[in-house]
Amino acid sequence: MSDDVENADAPAADANSEETKSDSPEESTSGASGFLGNLKNARSQLGDAKDAFSNARGAGSLPTDDDGRVRLVCRRYEERRLAPLDDKGRPTCYEAGNADCGSCVEAVTDGDVETW
């Protein structure tokens, strides 16, 4: 009877040792795609950082009030405004699809927006 117990344990040990092996092509492929995914994520973060730096550099040269709002002349309504910039460097009064707002964002990014 002790032989049966030893034989029952032996296949389980073999099965466990086979489960721990990681020579399958599927696992090595997932490791490579994980690396490529991390590389793509790093490139995306680098692009975001470059955009943020560019926006901050442009906004840094613009006059602001004590609360950090940019003093600009609205191209859409042709009036003076105090507008904080969002995380993309756009004044909070920005309206997507409006040509005047689009040109204002470009001017803010370049640091050459009309100010007062």
Side-chain angles (χ1 to χ4, degrees):
M1 189 146 153
S2 64
D3 291 333
D4 292 334
V5 173
E6 287 177 19
N7 290 338
D9 289 339
D14 289 339
N16 288 338
S17 63
E18 288 177 14
E19 288 176 12
T20 58
K21 292 181 183 177
S22 60
D23 295 334
S24 71
E26 295 168 0
E27 289 181 19
S28 62
T29 304
S30 68
S33 68
F35 174 75
L36 293 177
N38 289 341
L39 184 61
K40 288 179 183 179
N41 188 22
R43 285 184 180 167
S44 174
Q45 288 178 352
L46 179 61
D48 292 344
K50 285 181 179 180
D51 291 343
F53 177 78
S54 176
N55 292 337
R57 183 180 58 199
S61 64
L62 299 174
T64 59
D65 69 352
D66 293 336
D67 294 327
R69 297 175 297 185
V70 175
R71 296 176 188 211
L72 56 86
V73 176
C74 176
R75 294 185 179 200
R76 181 175 35 165
Y77 295 111
E78 299 176 4
E79 64 186 12
R80 293 178 178 184
R81 289 204 175 173
L82 287 171
L85 300 180
D86 67 9
D87 60 340
K88 295 183 181 178
R90 301 177 301 200
T92 54
C93 56
Y94 170 78
E95 242 181 63
N98 186 300
D100 291 329
C101 288
S103 66
C104 181
V105 169
E106 289 175 18
V108 167
T109 302
D110 295 339
D112 63 357
V113 68
E114 186 178 349
T115 62
W116 48 278

